Amino acid sequence: MGTGNPYPDQTSANSATPWLRGGPPVNVDLDGLREYARLLASQQADIAARSGHLAPLSEMPAGAFDGDVLGEADAIRAGLMANAAELSTYLGKLAESLGNVANAARTIAESYRTGDAVSAASLNDVLFAFGDKDAPRPAGLPENLGTTYLEQQLSGTAAPPPANSATWQEGPVTPVSAYQSLQTSIGPNGERREVSTVIAPGGVTTATTRVFDRNGETVTSSVTRTSSRTDGPVRATTVETFGADGELTATTETRERYEGTTVTERTTETVDAEGRTTALTTEKVDPATLGSTTSTYRPGDGGLLEETNRVTTGPRTPGPVVNG
């Protein structure tokens, strides 16, 4: 049988939160608060971008211990993949938390945007910014701000997810003609995404993606055109992306160099409409050992490319010999 709390007075003192019931006004530097929100949102985006570099942590164990393996190897694979999944979840929650704090800071700043540069915000305003339903709405907050994403969903004002979001429920691909197909996907709140793909006889593939809100209105529209060419041992694939106005927004080119059937070099570069490189990935493979080094580059503060990630894979171990 359990015992009662031997320290009720100390527990009450340590867990009491009288400061939540109000207090003296808090001075808020609105310019500094907006900058704080901007920096937090930037960190959220940075974490989201860099998390993609960790994909090998789960992909490599799955490939290294694929097929029929010893129980010990299977346990190692499961452990490594579980650790990678936990790290991915942690980074996702960290990015989400930074975004929440950024939104709260922005909400407080917007509540006092019509006042002096330094204003007094009550703790109720802070509680409202963090989603406390019992806190009154700040008087100066614009009517179009201050709703949660769930409230936006219920009211039908939430924006549809991005076209490349994993939340779309992809539907079947329906042939329209010998060269054209259509895929319709449904979003989490009744939105619709249509991807029309046309493969020309010359091999050029054009995909038109349109996203519609729950009322059937077009929200976004984009076109990608993919073409390939081969020059000796080098195969190049170019993907051009166009906006709704038909203007080129980005071009991604992947160049692969072969030695026999083995890719020994792979370079993927993305440039914007002005021809500036926004992303660069290089991969070099030793044709003898099949070990590889993959480096990722992004523009730094000065605009020059800086290496942001490097993954090195050692020589591949020989597989089992199968007698024919």
Side-chain angles (χ1 to χ4, degrees), residues 19-20 33 36 40 96-108 122-136 138 141 146 148:
W19 55 274
L20 289 177
L33 198 57
Y36 175 69
L40 283 182
E96 181 181 350
S97 299
L98 291 174
N100 290 340
V101 176
N103 288 333
R106 191 178 297 112
T107 298
I108 296 172
S122 71
L123 284 177
N124 279 332
D125 299 334
V126 177
L127 293 175
F128 176 87
F130 279 96
D132 189 335
K133 295 299 182 182
D134 296 327
L141 185 64
T148 66

Side-chain angles (χ1 to χ4, degrees), residues 285-300:
V285 180
D286 187 325
T289 66
L290 299 183
S292 65
T293 299
T294 302
S295 297
T296 302
Y297 302 86
R298 294 289 187 275

Side-chain angles (χ1 to χ4, degrees), residues 58-272:
S58 58
E59 295 171 353
M60 294 174 69
F65 303 104
D66 188 24
D68 296 330
V69 297
L70 295 175
E72 292 82 355
D74 188 52
I76 293 175
R77 172 179 56 189
L80 292 175
M81 295 182 67
N83 291 340
E86 289 182 2
L87 178 59
S88 178
T89 300
Y90 165 76
L91 291 176
K93 293 300 182 182
L94 176 60
E96 181 181 350
S97 299
L98 291 174
N100 290 340
V101 176
N103 288 333
R106 191 178 297 112
T107 298
I108 296 172
E110 289 297 329
S111 299
Y112 295 89
R113 64 176 181 171
T114 57
D116 299 331
V118 177
S119 302
S122 71
L123 284 177
N124 279 332
D125 299 334
V126 177
L127 293 175
F128 176 87
F130 279 96
D132 189 335
K133 295 299 182 182
D134 296 327
R137 180 184 179 87
L141 185 64
E143 291 298 327
N144 62 327
L145 299 178
T147 58
T148 66
Y149 182 67
L150 178 59
E151 290 170 341
Q152 291 178 351
Q153 286 181 318
L154 295 176
S155 65
T157 60
N164 60 351
S165 172
T167 59
W168 292 100
Q169 298 180 14
E170 296 188 355
V173 178
T174 303
V176 177
S177 67
Y179 305 107
Q180 184 178 2
S181 62
L182 178 67
Q183 183 183 41
T184 301
S185 305
I186 304 301
N189 302 300
E191 306 93 342
R192 189 173 82 257
R193 182 189 66 184
E194 292 183 354
V195 180
S196 175
T197 304
V198 178
I199 302 177
V204 177
T205 300
T206 302
T208 303
T209 302
R210 293 186 178 89
V211 174
F212 305 86
D213 62 19
R214 59 195 303 177
N215 297 319
E217 298 292 333
T218 301
V219 178
T220 61
S221 177
S222 64
V223 176
T224 59
R225 185 169 60 204
T226 304
S227 59
S228 300
R229 66 184 185 277
T230 301
D231 184 10
V234 178
R235 177 178 175 82
T237 301
T238 302
V239 179
E240 299 171 294
T241 303
F242 303 85
D245 56 1
E247 296 293 329
L248 180 68
T249 59
T251 302
T252 299
E253 182 177 75
T254 300
R255 298 176 62 86
E256 297 175 321
R257 177 176 293 276
Y258 287 82
E259 287 192 15
T261 59
T262 301
V263 177
T264 58
E265 291 184 27
R266 180 184 289 110
T267 301
T268 301
E269 182 179 16
T270 300
V271 299
D272 60 18

Side-chain angles (χ1 to χ4, degrees), residues 278-322:
T278 58
L280 175 65
T281 301
T282 63
E283 179 183 2
K284 295 185 178 181
V285 180
D286 187 325
T289 66
L290 299 183
S292 65
T293 299
T294 302
S295 297
T296 302
Y297 302 86
R298 294 289 187 275
D301 294 335
L304 299 178
L305 291 179
E306 299 176 355
E307 187 177 32
T308 58
N309 192 65
R310 178 183 297 180
V311 176
T312 301
T313 303
R316 297 186 186 180
T317 56
V321 177
V322 180

